[in-house]
Amino acid sequence: MAVPALSTLSVAEDLSLLLLDESSGVLYPLPGRTLDIGLAAAALLELTLADRIDTDLESLYLVNAAPLGDPTADPVLAQIAASTETRSPEYWVRRIGAQLGARIGDAALARLVERGILERAPGNHYFLTAPVARSRRYPAANGDRADEVRIRLMKVLFSDDIPEPRDADLIGLAEACGVFTRILSRAELERVRDRIELVKSLNLLCHAAAQAIAGDLRERPAARRTYQPIPEARGLPLIGAGLAMNGDLQEFVSGLYRDHGPICRVSVPGRKVIVLGGREANAFVQKHARTHLRSNRSFTEFCHAMETDRAMISMDGHDHMKLRRTAQAGYSRSVIERSMDTAIDIVRRAVASWPVGHPLPAFRSMQQIVAEHLGVLATGHSPGEYVEDLKYWFDSLIFAVRRDRPKFMREYRLRKVRPRIKQLYRRVVELHAPELREGRPGDLIDAFLELHRDEPQFLPETDLMSAVIGPYIAALDTVAGTLGFALLRLLQEPGHEQSLRDEADAAFAGGTPDARQIRGLEKTHAFVKEVMRCHTITPVLMRTACNSFEFEGCFVPAGATLLLAAGVVHRDRGYYPDPERFDPDRHRPPRLESKRTGAFVPFGIGPHTCIGGPFAEVQLAVTLATMVHCAEFDRAPPGDRRIRVTAYPSIRPHRKCRFQVVRFRHDGGAAP
């Protein structure tokens, strides 16, 4: 990995590392706009150290407009150079914090990843790379290694060492931002309080940051005394929006956003929920989900149905991140790419089993492929005879979460199939006994069982079944639904079908394609992205407000049930011109509309972003390319081109959306 040319970390990078909670992979939360102001001051300190700006008690002025080649500081320098007015240091700290604070933070984290200091995990989590975590030292451009920032500062605070000017500035800035209250215990902080005052920089920018932060915290309560009422969306008597939400849910929440803006309240049978939508909601979730939102209450019934106290989908905070990190390697892109032959063979055999001219349900047929993919590739064990049980089990779990059927009906469904699911669970665990796994590469189940053996309190036997069965049902709605919509879109718009078939045939021309060739299926990947945009399988996320907060001028109380309509951005005209039109080219050069920050969130957003997103992207392309290479399809009945959507029990093509094999082309026509 290439290391940027600068031999030292920027002040913004150091501040980000100082604030990183290594167990959760996110920055410690700071009140108000403290973080943005601190990052602005960090960028200005960097420019001061590089002799690009200077300050006195009343003014900050430009010395040299030449860029540093530092993405955390150069945008700030450009803004100062473009200004025709002389302003105070506090003015610039406030202005840069408001306009560029988030951008500086993103640039700092991205550069730390480039340097090999951090690695990025799904959901915008960042962790120290293994070499740094073990050595507590950072790689430098000259080949040397530098002490980790906390070790460096602790050496200064807990000794009589004289700090370097850069470290003195960082201590002053950290003190202004209240960072030491996050990383030191109360007793430790009392011990070094005088030392902090002695060694911290007297740089005017540190003082300006402290003043700006104090001013921000003073101003915020006054701004919150009055709130706008949350708009109420219309609904039918008694059932409210219940029927509308069982149809095209993405269109429903997009309509709420068009009519009411980023926040409104809707009635559903038995309760009212607050809907947060659009780019405003997504920005809030990215920044504040960890302190204001929880998923555990929303999935209480899910855990009850799984006979477990906790499951990954219901966990929050450090425990959730710990279990995610355990599972991450098992859901990675490399898992399917290194088994490309197997992945393609699974699709070939499924297509070969479909009788010519016989109507087949689009969604259920794709579930068969998806269950086999996840079973064989992620757990090393085919679901085989249990596929129908898994489908029934998954729908039963969704009914349990929705709670819109009588409890006795939900319990009946679960009791009916639970013994079969437990059989599968015991079989998978038996096949992963340590003595049977010697010399074989570890998979997802091995990782869970190892965590159980090492930390039985964290992952006890009572929680193990949900972890082991999870991979089998992880994509039974998401990937299967997307594949169903993809096939129906191909049959609705034949021009795309021929284009994708030509691309797939070229990839298969020399035999089974490898990972590089699958990555090169540009039109196929663009087509799949457009399907995910137009038919977002998870357009809403269910959460509970664990702390009250202000959003877009409205007050959201603690305990409120929330629907986070992340998928609304997929119909946002600011991101996608003519969003109702199905246009895969919008995802290809030169347009690349989905590459814009915040424009494309098919796998959710925030801490619970789908961990299997990278795996799913490859899986979708592989499956679609193999299908169009092996056979030609049509709708059943042939004249029906409508794509009907249902959200009951989850978003998927309606059961009446069917297709049929017209003829086999390659590797098809014979029973598997």
Side-chain angles (χ1 to χ4, degrees), residues 395-425:
D395 283 353
S396 301
L397 292 175
I398 298 299
F399 286 130
V401 172
R402 292 178 62 118
R403 290 180 289 179
D404 56 358
R405 287 190 173 191
K407 187 173 182 179
F408 77 89
M409 293 179 64
R410 304 196 304 262
E411 289 294 331
Y412 170 76
R413 287 184 62 98
L414 292 165
R415 286 198 304 270
K416 181 179 178 181
V417 74
R418 187 177 281 126
R420 292 279 294 171
I421 299 301
K422 287 185 174 180
Q423 282 181 18
L424 175 61
Y425 160 65

Side-chain angles (χ1 to χ4, degrees), residues 219-516:
E219 293 165 5
R220 294 181 72 80
R224 294 181 177 181
R225 288 175 186 164
T226 59
Y227 300 98
Q228 301 173 16
I230 298 176
E232 296 276 351
R234 285 187 174 184
L236 297 173
L238 299 179
I239 63 173
L243 284 178
M245 294 176 69
N246 284 332
D248 189 337
L249 185 55
Q250 184 179 8
E251 177 54 35
F252 173 72
V253 293
S254 296
L256 291 179
Y257 183 79
R258 290 192 297 268
D259 294 341
H260 303 290
I263 181 170
C264 67
R265 184 182 280 111
V266 300
S267 296
V268 296
R271 55 182 168 165
K272 287 193 173 185
V273 299
I274 296 173
V275 181
L276 307 183
R279 60 178 73 185
E280 299 92 342
N282 290 1
F284 176 85
V285 171
Q286 288 282 42
K287 193 170 184 179
H288 300 293
R290 297 169 185 90
T291 53
H292 293 301
L293 308 178
R294 290 290 181 270
S295 64
N296 54 353
R297 285 192 186 180
S298 303
F299 293 97
T300 300
E301 292 298 324
F302 177 91
C303 291
H304 173 73
M306 292 289 284
E307 296 186 336
T308 183
D309 294 322
R310 301 186 307 170
M312 189 184 300
I313 196 172
S314 71
M315 295 167 71
D316 292 295
H318 292 180
D319 286 355
H320 171 245
M321 183 47 55
K322 183 173 183 177
L323 197 57
R324 275 179 71 98
R325 294 202 76 192
T326 299
Q328 186 173 331
Y331 286 115
S332 70
R333 181 188 303 270
S334 62
V335 169
I336 188 169
E337 287 192 335
R338 67 172 176 251
S339 302
M340 195 60 70
D341 287 1
T342 302
I344 290 173
D345 187 57
I346 287 171
V347 184
R348 279 174 164 159
R349 287 187 287 113
V351 173
S353 71
W354 296 337
V356 173
H358 182 77
L360 299 165
F363 177 65
R364 292 296 184 185
S365 300
M366 298 305 110
Q367 279 188 307
Q368 199 85 18
I369 295 173
V370 168
E372 189 74 6
H373 268 162
L374 268 295
V376 173
L377 302 179
T379 74
H381 180 66
S382 167
E385 62 181 291
Y386 296 97
V387 169
E388 292 303 317
D389 301 297
L390 288 166
K391 294 177 184 177
Y392 190 87
W393 177 251
F394 176 81
D395 283 353
S396 301
L397 292 175
I398 298 299
F399 286 130
V401 172
R402 292 178 62 118
R403 290 180 289 179
D404 56 358
R405 287 190 173 191
K407 187 173 182 179
F408 77 89
M409 293 179 64
R410 304 196 304 262
E411 289 294 331
Y412 170 76
R413 287 184 62 98
L414 292 165
R415 286 198 304 270
K416 181 179 178 181
V417 74
R418 187 177 281 126
R420 292 279 294 171
I421 299 301
K422 287 185 174 180
Q423 282 181 18
L424 175 61
Y425 160 65
R426 289 191 292 268
R427 178 62 176 157
V428 173
V429 171
E430 289 169 0
L431 291 173
H432 283 77
E435 62 272 17
L436 299 179
R437 302 294 294 172
E438 290 184 10
R440 303 179 67 179
D443 59 24
L444 185 57
I445 306 303
D446 290 318
F448 284 137
L449 293 176
E450 182 179 356
L451 180 61
H452 165 64
R453 289 190 292 269
D454 292 346
E455 300 186 54
Q457 183 68 26
F458 176 77
L459 186 60
E461 286 185 53
T462 52
D463 294 346
L464 198 54
M465 188 176 89
S466 66
V468 171
I469 295 298
Y472 288 100
I473 63 174
L476 278 181
D477 64 333
T478 53
V479 176
T482 301
L483 282 171
F485 284 124
L487 179 57
L488 295 171
R489 275 288 181 180
L490 276 180
L491 302 181
Q492 188 180 60
E493 305 180 37
H496 292 302
E497 181 180 9
Q498 189 57 50
S499 176
L500 266 60
R501 178 169 288 120
D502 291 343
E503 185 178 65
D505 287 349
F508 279 87
T512 301
D514 57 21
R516 179 187 59 80

Side-chain angles (χ1 to χ4, degrees), residues 554-573:
C554 299
F555 179 76
V556 178
T561 300
L562 307 176
L563 290 181
L564 307 179
V568 165
V569 295
H570 293 165
R571 306 280 176 93
D572 189 328
R573 296 180 184 277

